[in-house]
């Protein structure tokens, strides 16, 4: 994932404890549903938990106990940080209007440099999705200049390079697009498979593959299809466990993994996923 995963938050443990008891749920039962341990729930409720708390744990506590996240996290700026960093990258490309509304809501409450950086990446993706290519390029180039060393290797850098390739290609600046495609693929080859074989990047890979096909970059196109298929198959077990049927015949067709993922996201809101990219 390219967003931040954990934050130090002020948690309203008293509210959690009161709601849990009113629902007649034990600490052990809540811990099992949230995927943590009973001592963690106890410490959260008593205000003695002094480590970083997983966003996924807090999100599930609120979901199970029917609590609003902004009432559980006692700090508006932490709520903003949570909400922005909970946006999957692909959501900005699939449902840009919904994501833009969330960006507008929390923009003024962001202070942390990493939060602002991720906000700008998502905003650039929204602009790309809306075909405002010039605005997307401007934001991405500022990010590239302000935050990243030329030789840095990171998921965020890879995403920025990939979006720049798509933007410039759409603007018919094929030479520049080619340079960014090559750089994006080189970055992925220097990263671990567990990082690049992530479902949230399939739309990005699909668009890059179309550029490679147009520019007759056959080996690069094959590489993108390969990592995309691996990313998809890595999540199949989780997806099937939710009762969603996988159409394997579609995956075997040319560009099948891309087209199936596009259909999958059109039928399942990309905001309704957990950290393992399985539908909730």
């Amino acid at each position: 994932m390219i967003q931040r995963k954990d934050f130090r938050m002020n948690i309203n443990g008293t509210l959690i404890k009161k709601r849990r008891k009113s629902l007649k749920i034990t600490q052990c039962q809540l811990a099992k549903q949230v995927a943590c341990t009973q001592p963690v729930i106890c410490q959260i409720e008593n205000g003695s938990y002094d480590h970083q708390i997983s966003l996924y744990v807090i999100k599930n506590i609120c979901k199970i106990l029917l609590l609003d996240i902004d009432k559980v996290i006692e700090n508006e700026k932490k709520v903003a940080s949570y909400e922005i960093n909970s946006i999957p990258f692909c959501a900005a490309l699939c449902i840009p209007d919904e994501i833009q509304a969330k960006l507008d809501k929390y923009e003024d409450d962001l202070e942390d440099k990493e939060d602002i950086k991720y906000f700008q990446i998502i905003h650039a993706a929204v602009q790309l999705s809306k075909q405002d290519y010039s605005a997307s390029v401007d934001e991405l180039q500022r990010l590239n200049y302000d935050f990243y060393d030329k030789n840095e290797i990171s998921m965020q850098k890879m995403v920025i390079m990939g979006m720049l390739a798509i933007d410039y290609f759409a603007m018919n600046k094929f030479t520049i697009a080619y340079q960014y495609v090559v750089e994006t693929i080189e970055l992925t080859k220097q990263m671990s498979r567990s990082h690049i074989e992530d479902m949230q990047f399939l739309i990005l890979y699909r668009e890059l593959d179309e550029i490679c096909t147009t520019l007759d970059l056959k080996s690069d196109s094959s590489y993108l299809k390969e990592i995309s298929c691996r990313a998809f198959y890595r999540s199949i077990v989780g997806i099937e466990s939710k009762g969603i049927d996988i159409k394997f015949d579609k995956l075997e067709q040319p560009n099948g993994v891309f087209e199936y993922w596009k259909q999958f996201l059109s039928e399942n809101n990309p905001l309704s996923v957990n950290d393992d990219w399985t539908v909730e």
Side-chain angles (χ1 to χ4, degrees), residues 25-48:
I25 299 174
T26 67
Q27 288 183 343
C28 289
Q29 289 171 334
L30 180 58
K32 185 175 181 180
Q33 294 182 68
V34 171
C36 68
T37 63
Q38 180 272 331
V40 169
I41 298 296
C42 181
Q43 291 170 14
I44 289 174
E45 290 185 350
N46 294 331
S48 59

Side-chain angles (χ1 to χ4, degrees), residues 89 142-143 162 176 182 258 271:
F89 170 70
R142 284 197 301 272
L143 270 166
I176 302 176
V182 171
F258 298 131
L271 290 180

Side-chain angles (χ1 to χ4, degrees), residues 123-142:
H123 189 231
V126 167
Q127 292 169 320
L128 169 59
S129 180
K130 293 184 174 182
Q131 300 182 1
D132 191 352
Y133 304 118
S134 296
S136 178
V137 165
D138 288 344
E139 185 131 41
L140 292 169
Q141 291 292 19
R142 284 197 301 272

Side-chain angles (χ1 to χ4, degrees), residues 56 59-60 63 86-88 90-91 95 98-99 102 239 242 244 261 264-265 267-280:
Y56 186 51
K59 175 184 176 182
N60 273 349
K63 181 178 179 180
S86 297
I87 300 173
C90 80
I95 48 174
E98 185 173 339
I99 297 304
K102 180 171 283 196
I239 292 173
K242 302 296 182 179
I244 297 174
W261 183 227
F264 180 81
L265 288 180
E267 297 171 352
N268 299 278
N269 190 319
L271 290 180
S272 300
V273 294
N274 65 23
D275 289 340
D276 295 321
W277 276 90
T278 58
V279 175
E280 294 180 339

Side-chain angles (χ1 to χ4, degrees), residues 63-246:
K63 181 178 179 180
I64 293 165
L65 300 182
L66 306 176
L67 292 170
D68 293 332
I69 189 73
D70 57 352
K71 292 181 179 178
V72 172
I73 302 177
E74 298 178 319
N75 185 315
E76 289 185 1
K77 297 188 185 304
K78 290 295 183 181
V79 172
S81 180
Y82 169 85
E83 291 291 345
I84 295 302
N85 283 278
S86 297
I87 300 173
F89 170 70
C90 80
L93 300 174
C94 297
I95 48 174
D97 292 334
E98 185 173 339
I99 297 304
Q100 184 62 60
K102 180 171 283 196
L103 295 179
D104 292 341
K105 181 177 180 180
Y106 295 107
E107 180 177 11
D108 293 338
D109 291 326
L110 296 177
E111 292 181 341
D112 185 88
K113 180 179 178 181
E114 291 300 314
D115 293 339
I116 294 171
K117 184 195 302 185
Y118 189 65
F119 175 95
Q120 291 175 326
I121 290 174
I122 293 299
H123 189 231
V126 167
Q127 292 169 320
L128 169 59
S129 180
K130 293 184 174 182
Q131 300 182 1
D132 191 352
Y133 304 118
S134 296
S136 178
V137 165
D138 288 344
E139 185 131 41
L140 292 169
Q141 291 292 19
R142 284 197 301 272
L143 270 166
N144 202 26
Y145 178 79
D146 291 339
F147 291 111
Y148 297 97
D149 178 83
K150 182 178 180 181
N151 298 316
E152 179 175 345
I153 299 173
S154 70
M155 295 303 298
Q156 290 186 344
K157 182 73 175 291
M158 183 273 287
V159 166
I160 289 172
M161 296 296 102
M163 285 197 289
L164 282 169
I166 297 167
D167 281 325
Y168 280 119
F169 187 80
M171 297 164 68
N172 295 322
K173 297 183 178 181
F174 302 127
T175 300
I176 302 176
Y178 167 79
Q179 293 172 346
Y180 279 116
V181 167
V182 171
E183 185 170 352
T184 302
I185 291 175
E186 286 305 311
L187 279 171
T188 65
K189 290 180 178 179
Q190 297 177 64
M191 299 177 191
S192 68
R193 284 190 172 185
S194 62
H195 287 155
I196 62 173
E197 293 171 8
D198 191 318
M199 291 279 280
Q200 69 170 321
F201 300 130
L202 282 183
I203 294 178
L204 180 72
Y205 294 157
R206 183 193 70 205
E207 297 298 325
L208 293 175
D209 177 64
E210 289 184 3
I211 296 174
C212 289
T213 300
T214 301
L215 299 179
D216 200 29
L217 303 173
K218 295 180 180 179
S219 62
D220 290 331
S221 176
S222 296
Y223 170 75
L224 288 168
K225 287 185 173 68
E226 178 186 350
I227 62 176
S228 297
C229 286
R230 286 203 297 261
F232 197 93
Y233 278 103
R234 280 180 57 177
S235 296
I236 279 180
V237 174
I239 292 173
E240 287 186 318
S241 72
K242 302 296 182 179
I244 297 174
D245 186 29
I246 301 296

